């Protein structure tokens, strides 16, 4: 019994890394985020299913002669956002290997790209709004509902990343190591959802 | 409880008591993270909503006692039956089974000292309470939900329901859904990760399998409902057209999204009842469950297949025959896992030595009603029959036998069964028997004639009916039955209240129950167990040598964990001890977060979008404050 680690007492970089190495199954926090992702993915599944349900109700899509979205820029920035999974992966590796500085650096690097993605998306969103509105017809409604849900998730991710980076700067505990891994998993999910959402959004022009 | 034989053992128990002691007074209840206290909060809150939903049902039945009755009138009647459905499903059955029974019992049954996420557990409760108050605020203001619990568009759209009634419904259900999602995630992680050493998945009580299945079902079923309610609000408040046929939307889409949630929901309601039945039957027959692995698989299979049958609620909507036939076939397949469980229960009772105490009586009532409701369910899976009978009282009869007779009877039996554990007092057995017969007869009288009424054509959801249709006599029997049922339920409450005050003291294991909640004293101490039990079978209380080992461990100081607010975490399949977790003991943040979330939904309801957005920002501020205190600092 003495060999069983008391994970929560790990309040330094080295101890937290040792706990992470000694564990045989995923910590509770990762199970929590995995199930959260499952429910969120189902939510996006329902929204995307609604998009195609409405799309296949109609011979012409987008409705009322609205021009389909231009694909080049959304595809490019979505690829950039998807690529931020790599620095997030490296951050959670680094924090488990007791390299706090590297972890914070990777998180901040990913955040910069994610903020750029969100900024471009907001510009595109308001451009779209000047062409057609959600109260115009069902295409507009589901288009903005889909993108709004996706962008909100990116915003939440950025807030979480900023918070965990600040916490790491104040010191490393087992709790924060798990938090970095949880937030990385959240970002893997957001990246996957963004790809799915962008492909759905562009399905009328591809 | 393990006998405290030696001074060392007494010292350890004293230390545990000091470490785990709950804060006294009201503040203690508001900031508690203890699963037992949260379970009790859930119990009383959901019973209060049960009373409200019961009064609504009695008003509906009283309105229908004679033809052309004017007691309620159409507007009030619509609110009554809608709020009855919403209350019973979202504010009573799910919270009492998952929130009250699950919270109190799952950690005890798996030998843990708390849930995996104690603060999130408190948050689930406070969100549930807030959402219930939110939904009922509409009713008290005269604007209760009034388009039926499934809230079909276009009736529920702005054009035909301009008042705020539907907004209370849609926002309230999203609010409630957040609470249930958090609870479901908590249960899955608790059941996977917090089991006592040795309790591999195949040694886990069937009760916990049922709760595992329910939790997974909630995780995947709630998002479509939340999306549907979100779309409905966008349509109603911001002029979106997702359900609006005139602008390219589709009204049937609501029905799809609602029933993709709504059918799994039926199994979410009834699976905890299966779990309770599989706890009570072995205890009162003193016999292991027949076909344990098959029953465990059947519980999970019911939850899984439940996701593939939603269109059987839509047989009369004009969908293509090919679609209907697939869903009819899928619906019939549910008979197989249901039948496995039914035969396992009956065989266990039949081959054991049954002692028909009150809890087992309620389970027998449950089996009878589940059979009745199940058989009419098989009838309804036949497409032509369903198309003929849809929207009549036959449907009302069917689903009340399933979700009242079958889902609530085990809850009532469970109240009796675990009453000694929770209160440390025995209930009154003879009054328990009387209360069973009253509720059993009341249920039969209330709901059985509805089959006949449906077959002779009485439509549901009409506030009155003309005389001379041959419906009056049946309606009168039903109304009388509903009052007998109410009397039975009140007798249960009276029995438990009087027994709480004056009942005989209960020993740790009055029924010779097999699962771990009976290992500790009645009521359990704040730390649940002085020693984390080691488990070698699915019936740990019948392994007497193991329990004697627990007492020796207390003296030796092994598996006691008295150095802090600690509980073990284990590996998912084999439950090997993996780490020791320091658990948070109390926190002011869950209730604060629930208050801020109430603000978000209130301002959404009022249409103050900017304030709602600021409140959403506040949610993150509260979350940051919540996580500033890490468990090891508590």
């Amino acid at each position: 019994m003495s060999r069983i680690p008391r994970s929560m007492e790990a309040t330094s970089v080295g101890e937290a890394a040792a706990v992470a190495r000694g564990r045989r199954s995923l910590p509770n926090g990762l199970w929590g985020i995995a199930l959260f992702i499952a429910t969120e993915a189902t939510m996006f599944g329902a929204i995307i299913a609604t998009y195609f349900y409405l799309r296949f109700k109609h011979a012409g899509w987008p409705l009322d002669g609205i021009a389909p979205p231009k694909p080049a820029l959304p595809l490019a920035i979505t690829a950039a956002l998807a690529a931020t999974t790599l620095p997030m992966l490296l951050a959670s590796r680094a924090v488990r290997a007791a390299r706090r500085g590297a972890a914070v650096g990777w998180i901040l690097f990913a955040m910069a790209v994610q903020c750029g993605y969100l900024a471009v998306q907001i510009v595109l969103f308001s451009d779209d709004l000047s062409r057609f509105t959600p109260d115009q017809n069902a295409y507009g409604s589901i288009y903005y509902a889909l993108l709004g849900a996706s962008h909100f998730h990116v915003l939440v991710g950025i807030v979480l990343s900023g918070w965990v980076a600040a916490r790491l700067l104040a010191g490393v505990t087992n709790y924060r190591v798990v938090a970095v891994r949880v937030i990385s998993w959240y970002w893997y999910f957001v990246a996957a959802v963004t790809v799915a959402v962008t492909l759905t959004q562009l399905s009328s022009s591809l | 409880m393990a006998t405290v034989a030696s001074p060392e053992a007494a010292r350890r128990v004293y230390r545990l008591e000091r470490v785990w002691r709950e804060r006294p007074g009201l503040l203690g209840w508001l900031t508690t993270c203890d699963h037992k206290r949260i379970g009790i909060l859930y119990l009383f809150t959901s019973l209060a909503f049960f009373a409200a939903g019961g009064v609504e049902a009695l008003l509906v039945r009283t309105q229908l006692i004679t033809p052309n009755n004017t007691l309620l009138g159409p507007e009030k009647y619509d609110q009554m039956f809608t709020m009855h459905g919403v209350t019973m499903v979202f504010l009573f059955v799910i919270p009492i089974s998952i929130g009250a029974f699950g919270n109190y019992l799952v950690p005890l049954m798996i030998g843990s000292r708390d849930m995996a996420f104690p603060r999130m557990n408190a948050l689930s409760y406070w969100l549930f309470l807030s959402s219930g108050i939110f939904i009922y605020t509409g009713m008290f203001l005269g604007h209760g939900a009034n388009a039926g619990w499934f809230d079909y568009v276009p009736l529920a759209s702005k054009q035909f329901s301009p008042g705020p009634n539907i907004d209370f419904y849609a926002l309230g259900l999203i609010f409630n859904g957040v609470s249930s999602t958090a609870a479901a995630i908590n249960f899955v992680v608790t059941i996977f990760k917090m089991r006592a050493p040795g309790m591999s998945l195949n040694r886990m009580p069937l009760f916990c399998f049922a709760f595992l299945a329910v939790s997974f079902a909630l995780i995947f079923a709630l998002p479509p409902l939340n999306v549907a309610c979100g779309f409905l609000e966008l349509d109603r408040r911001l002029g979106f057209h997702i359900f609006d046929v005139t602008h390219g939307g589709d009204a049937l889409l609501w029905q799809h999204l609602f029933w993709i949630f709504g059918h799994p929901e039926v199994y979410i309601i009834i699976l905890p009842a299966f779990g309770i039945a599989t706890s009570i039957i072995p205890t009162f027959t003193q016999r292991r469950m027949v076909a344990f692995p098959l029953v465990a698989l059947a519980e999970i299979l019911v939850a899984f297949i439940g996701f593939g049958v939603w269109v059987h609620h839509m047989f009369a909507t004009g969908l293509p025959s090919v679609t209907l036939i697939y869903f009819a076939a899928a619906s019939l397949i549910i008979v197989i896992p249901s039948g496995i469980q039914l035969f396992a229960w009956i065989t266990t009772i039949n081959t054991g030595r049954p002692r028909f105490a009150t809890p087992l009586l309620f389970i027998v009532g449950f089996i009878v009603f589940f059979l009745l409701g199940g058989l009419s369910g098989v009838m309804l899976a036949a497409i032509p029959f369903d198309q003929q009978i849809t929207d009549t009282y036959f449907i009302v009869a069917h689903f009340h036998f399933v979700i009242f007779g079958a889902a609530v009877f085990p809850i009532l039996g469970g109240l009796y069964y675990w009453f000694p554990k929770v209160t440390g007092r025995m209930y009154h057995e003879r009054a328990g028997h009387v209360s069973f017969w009253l509720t059993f007869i009341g249920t039969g009288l209330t709901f059985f004639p509805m089959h006949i009424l449906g077959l002779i054509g009485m439509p549901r959801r009409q506030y009155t009916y003309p005389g001379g249709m041959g419906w009056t006599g049946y309606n009168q029997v039903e109304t009388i039955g509903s009052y007998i049922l109410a009397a039975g339920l009140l007798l249960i409450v009276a029995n438990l209240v009087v027994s709480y005050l004056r009942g005989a003291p209960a020993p740790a294991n009055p029924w010779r129950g097999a699962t771990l909640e009976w290992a500790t004293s009645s009521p359990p101490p704040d730390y649940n167990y002085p020693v984390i039990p080691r488990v070698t079978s699915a019936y740990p209380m019948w392994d007497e040598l193991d329990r004697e080992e627990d007492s020796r461990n207390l003296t030796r100081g092994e598996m006691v964990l008295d150095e802090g607010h600690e509980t073990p975490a284990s590996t998912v399949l084999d439950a090997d001890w993996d780490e020791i977790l320091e658990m948070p003991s109390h926190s002011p943040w869950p209730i604060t977060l629930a208050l801020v979330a109430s603000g978000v939904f209130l301002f959404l309801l009022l249409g103050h979008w900017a304030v709602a957005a600021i409140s959403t920002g506040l949610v993150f501020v509260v979350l940051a404050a919540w996580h500033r205190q890490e468990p090891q600092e508590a």
Side-chain angles (χ1 to χ4, degrees):
Chain A
M1 184 184 133
S2 51
R3 290 175 291 107
I4 315 283
R6 287 192 147 74
S7 342
M8 295 295 182
E9 285 173 9
T11 47
S12 72
V13 180
E15 285 166 15
V19 166
R21 272 198 309 277
R23 241 190 224 111
R24 282 187 292 159
S25 62
L26 290 176
N28 289 357
L30 284 189
W31 274 102
I33 192 71
L35 295 161
F36 179 73
I37 287 170
T39 191
E40 288 265 282
T42 314
M43 187 189 80
F44 274 99
I47 300 176
I48 290 171
T50 299
Y51 181 96
F52 286 105
Y53 181 96
L54 293 172
R55 191 246 169 286
F56 290 120
K57 284 263 153 193
H58 299 281
W61 188 264
L63 297 171
D64 300 342
I66 296 168
K70 292 196 188 69
L73 188 54
L75 281 178
I77 57 173
T78 302
L81 187 81
T84 62
T85 50
L86 188 64
M88 288 312 291
L89 176 70
L90 293 172
S92 65
R93 288 239 172 121
V95 78
R96 270 188 291 170
R99 291 186 288 120
R100 174 172 72 163
V104 174
W106 285 121
I107 292 172
L108 292 180
F109 172 68
M111 260 178 84
V113 180
Q114 290 149 358
C115 287
Y117 167 87
L118 191 60
V120 177
Q121 282 290 13
I122 289 171
V123 172
L124 288 175
F125 198 82
S126 55
D127 269 4
D128 285 339
L129 274 175
S130 63
R131 291 192 300 125
F132 62 100
T133 54
D135 55 3
Q136 195 169 334
N137 57 36
Y139 171 74
S141 304
I142 188 62
Y143 183 89
Y144 288 108
L146 179 68
L147 291 184
S150 169
H151 298 346
F152 182 70
H153 279 75
V154 174
L155 177 65
V156 169
I158 291 170
V159 171
L160 291 177
S161 284
W163 170 78
V164 84
R167 292 297 277 168
L168 283 184
L169 289 175
V172 177
T173 62
N174 167 68
Y175 198 72
R176 293 170 205 172
V177 170
V178 174
V180 172
R181 296 178 70 190
V182 162
I183 291 166
S184 305
W185 281 36
Y186 177 82
W187 272 114
Y188 308 153
F189 158 69
V190 170
V193 151
T194 314
V195 170
V197 165
T198 306
L199 291 177
T200 306
Q201 174 206 1
L202 301 177
S203 62
S204 57
S205 45
L206 289 176
Chain B
M1 193 205 281
T3 42
V4 181
S6 62
E8 297 97 308
R11 217 168 22 247
R12 286 184 227 290
V13 167
Y14 174 74
R15 203 150 51 213
L16 278 171
E17 266 165 15
R18 215 185 42 215
V19 170
W20 284 83
R21 185 173 296 141
E22 283 283 297
R23 283 179 170 183
L26 183 64
L27 191 68
W29 284 95
L30 295 179
T31 60
T32 187
C33 294
D34 176 53
H35 70 98
K36 299 180 291 300
R37 285 191 151 199
I38 293 170
I40 286 169
L41 287 171
Y42 259 113
L43 178 73
F44 283 109
T45 311
S46 52
L47 285 178
F49 284 120
F50 186 38
V55 169
E56 285 148 14
L58 286 179
L59 284 169
V60 163
R61 279 314 327 162
T62 311
Q63 161 69 23
L64 294 173
I65 194 166
T66 56
N68 304 312
N69 198 354
T70 52
L71 175 72
L72 287 177
E75 283 88 16
K76 283 223 182 66
Y77 186 86
D78 288 353
Q79 287 190 34
M80 285 301 156
F81 77 71
T82 303
M83 287 300 289
H84 167 70
V86 170
T87 306
M88 291 308 195
V89 170
F90 293 101
L91 304 177
F92 167 60
V93 178
I94 297 180
I96 200 173
S97 55
I98 297 175
F101 283 92
N103 252 316
Y104 201 97
L105 295 167
V106 165
L108 281 170
M109 280 197 189
I110 62 174
S112 170
R113 283 186 176 149
D114 211 329
M115 298 282 286
F117 306 115
R119 290 178 291 187
M120 191 165 86
N121 198 21
L123 176 68
S124 302
Y125 169 72
W126 294 112
L127 287 176
F128 153 64
L129 176 67
S130 312
S131 72
I133 294 172
F134 183 89
I135 292 168
Y136 263 87
T137 304
M139 182 145 186
F140 288 127
L141 297 175
H143 299 295
N146 59 355
W149 89 282
F150 47 56
D151 200 58
Y152 281 173
V153 291
L155 175 62
S157 63
K158 193 81 182 165
Q159 191 185 351
F160 300 104
S161 294
N165 310 50
I166 304 302
D167 301 317
F168 276 110
Y169 169 94
L171 291 170
L173 289 199
I174 295 175
F175 199 177
N176 189 268
V178 177
S179 156
S180 301
T181 305
I185 290 174
N186 213 342
F187 275 106
V188 173
V189 181
T190 304
I191 291 171
F192 273 174
K193 287 281 300 177
M194 309 294 283
R195 300 196 309 278
M199 188 183 278
S200 49
L201 271 185
N202 56 335
R203 293 175 187 162
M204 189 168 80
L206 288 168
F207 183 90
C208 299
F209 271 104
F211 276 74
L212 187 64
V214 169
S215 303
F216 269 111
L218 276 170
I219 284 168
F220 293 108
L222 285 169
L225 175 72
N226 292 338
V227 166
C229 288
F231 285 162
L232 183 62
E233 276 302 282
L234 289 172
D235 273 17
R236 290 176 53 87
R237 308 297 290 283
L238 296 176
F240 282 42
H241 298 292
I242 288 169
F243 301 124
D244 175 11
V245 185
T246 59
H247 288 76
D250 189 75
L252 209 53
L253 176 63
W254 168 272
Q255 294 195 27
H256 281 295
L257 287 172
F258 185 87
W259 289 117
I260 290 173
F261 150 79
H263 200 84
E265 174 77 2
V266 175
Y267 299 111
I268 290 165
I269 288 172
I270 203 165
L271 271 165
F274 293 175
I276 295 171
T278 52
S279 303
I280 291 177
I281 290 175
T283 299
F284 286 96
T285 55
Q286 287 296 305
R287 181 202 195 296
R288 294 171 180 232
M289 268 302 291
V290 168
F292 183 103
L294 280 179
V295 174
L297 284 175
E299 284 175 349
I300 288 164
L301 209 58
V302 163
F304 183 76
I305 302 174
F307 280 88
V309 301
W310 79 89
V311 168
H312 74 214
H313 297 268
M314 302 164 62
F315 279 166
T317 53
L319 289 168
S321 304
V322 179
T323 314
L324 300 191
I325 289 166
Y326 164 78
F327 281 96
S331 307
L332 288 172
I333 289 175
I334 301 242
V335 173
I336 298 169
S338 307
I340 289 173
Q341 294 181 78
L342 198 65
F343 285 115
W345 297 322
I346 295 172
T347 314
T348 309
I349 295 175
N350 210 23
T351 56
R353 286 170 284 132
R355 187 168 74 79
F356 288 97
T358 311
L360 188 59
L361 280 182
F362 274 98
I363 297 307
V364 172
F366 148 75
I367 292 174
V368 170
F369 290 141
F370 182 59
L371 189 64
L372 269 172
L375 287 177
S376 57
V378 175
M379 294 164 78
L380 289 169
I383 300 162
F385 181 77
D386 179 276
Q387 288 175 340
Q388 181 69 23
I389 219 76
T390 194
D391 272 335
T392 71
Y393 265 88
F394 191 90
I395 307 289
V396 184
H398 159 67
F399 73 70
H400 276 94
F401 273 118
V402 177
I403 64 180
F404 185 79
V408 178
F409 263 58
I411 290 175
L412 302 175
L415 284 177
Y416 279 116
Y417 179 57
W418 283 292
F419 180 81
K421 177 50 61 190
V422 177
T423 63
R425 304 274 182 170
M426 301 302 288
Y427 64 83
H428 194 279
E429 187 66 51
R430 188 183 293 269
H433 279 246
V434 177
S435 70
F436 165 74
W437 286 109
L438 279 176
T439 44
F440 185 79
I441 293 166
T443 304
L445 280 182
T446 310
F447 300 116
F448 197 83
M450 290 183 184
H451 291 113
I452 304 164
L453 271 180
L455 289 171
I456 60 177
M458 181 166 171
R460 60 191 284 214
R461 307 183 162 223
Q462 304 293 322
Y463 81 102
T464 191
Y465 54 93
M469 305 286 289
W471 299 346
T472 315
Y474 294 113
N475 272 297
Q476 281 166 346
V477 171
E478 287 168 14
T479 305
I480 293 166
S482 68
Y483 279 92
I484 296 176
L485 174 55
L489 294 171
L490 286 176
L491 184 57
I492 296 176
V493 173
N495 188 351
L496 297 185
V497 169
V498 172
S499 305
Y500 178 67
L501 299 172
R502 288 197 271 164
N509 190 359
W511 316 122
R512 256 184 67 72
T515 39
L516 278 175
E517 78 271 27
W518 304 109
T520 186
S521 60
S522 307
D526 289 335
Y527 48 89
N528 287 359
Y529 304 96
V531 179
I532 303 297
R534 187 176 284 283
V535 176
T536 54
S537 83
Y539 302 88
M541 287 307 288
W542 293 346
D543 301 328
E544 276 150 23
L545 293 179
D546 288 354
R547 301 289 72 82
E548 286 166 21
E549 184 67 17
D550 286 348
S551 313
R552 281 195 289 277
N553 274 341
L554 184 60
T555 305
R556 285 200 296 259
E558 272 190 40
M559 306 180 71
V560 177
L561 302 185
D562 55 352
E563 290 173 30
H565 210 260
E566 293 174 333
T567 195
S570 42
T571 58
V572 176
L573 292 179
D574 296 331
D576 288 335
W577 201 339
D578 199 22
E579 56 186 316
I580 296 169
L581 301 179
E582 179 79 29
M583 306 304 277
S585 52
H586 50 77
S587 169
W589 298 112
I591 186 169
T592 312
L593 187 54
L595 280 172
V596 176
S598 306
V600 174
F601 283 93
L602 178 69
F603 290 118
L604 286 177
L605 183 82
L606 296 174
H608 294 311
W609 310 123
V611 190
I614 294 168
S615 309
T616 311
L618 264 183
V619 166
F620 285 92
V621 175
V622 174
L623 275 175
W626 169 321
H627 287 281
R628 263 200 80 75
Q629 177 153 43
E630 299 179 11
Q632 81 277 357
E633 300 162 346

